[in-house]
Amino acid sequence: AAKRTPAKAEATFTSTARIKPTRSSRSFCSILHKTRPRRDQDKTTMSLQDYVKTSLMPLSQAYGWYMLTNATSDADIYSLTMQLSAFYGGWALLKVYVGGDKREKGHISMGITFLSSLRQHYLATMIASGLVIANYGLPAAMVLPMSDAKLASVVGKGDFKDKPVPPFIKIWVLTFKTYFLSSIALWGVVMYKLTQFS
């Protein structure tokens, strides 16, 4: 048989490489493109996911404050910090591995808090609680002075620089800022109660 020349081999490789995508692959790519979230797209309504995430902030804080004010021993405090750190640590992990938020570091301080609370180690829990306060306090210093439109733009909820901010965005901003302040105060009281009971 005649040997294939380099030119023919190259032509064969080129024609083989130029395979047209199948209909199924084109459909999958179009679906992926349509469902991929766009950070530059202004949100005009709240989705069910938005309602759930927004509601979890005040609900989790209300639970934390209720349990904290009714705590009568250090065991109650350790139980509460273990529950809160498990919840918020899991939330942070979802943001990192599902939401793709590589800036989220809350799972680190919450993970340390969970382990120290599980062991009921006083000093470790105090240090971990301080880390949690820092984890909330540093972003709060930047978030709290922001306007509604600025914060909405930073977190990817839309650009409202030259247009009115929708009411649900204002509610979300108020909830978000209150959540930061409440969290800082709550973990501060946790540290105070631990010193009282220990």
Side-chain angles (χ1 to χ4, degrees), residues 52-139:
V52 171
K53 291 192 295 185
T54 302
S55 300
L56 283 175
M57 288 188 281
L59 288 176
S60 60
Q61 287 294 300
Y63 174 80
W65 280 109
Y66 174 79
M67 297 298 291
L68 186 59
T69 54
N70 288 278
T72 57
S73 66
D74 59 345
D76 292 339
I77 301 296
Y78 288 125
S79 176
L80 173 62
T81 53
M82 189 167 60
Q83 293 175 57
L84 291 178
S85 59
F87 175 75
Y88 289 123
W91 191 345
L93 287 173
L94 285 175
K95 290 179 65 179
V96 174
Y97 294 105
V98 178
D101 187 357
K102 302 303 181 183
R103 298 173 299 177
E104 177 62 56
K105 304 298 180 185
H107 55 288
I108 298 175
S109 59
M110 290 298 177
I112 297 173
T113 305
F114 178 83
L115 293 175
S116 59
S117 300
L118 183 64
R119 296 293 300 273
Q120 295 192 2
H121 193 286
Y122 170 75
L123 181 59
T125 305
M126 288 289 286
I127 294 174
S129 299
L131 290 175
V132 172
I133 292 176
N135 189 64
Y136 281 113
L138 294 176

Side-chain angles (χ1 to χ4, degrees), residues 160-173:
F160 302 101
K161 183 179 179 180
D162 300 319
K163 62 185 72 172
V165 179
F168 78 90
I169 291 291
K170 293 183 177 182
I171 294 173
W172 178 87
V173 169

Side-chain angles (χ1 to χ4, degrees), residues 21-41:
T22 62
R23 180 178 298 177
S24 59
S25 64
R26 288 197 301 267
S27 300
F28 175 76
C29 292
S30 62
I31 292 173
L32 183 63
H33 177 73
K34 290 178 181 178
T35 56
R36 184 179 299 156
R38 293 178 54 191
R39 291 182 61 85
D40 59 344
Q41 186 176 11

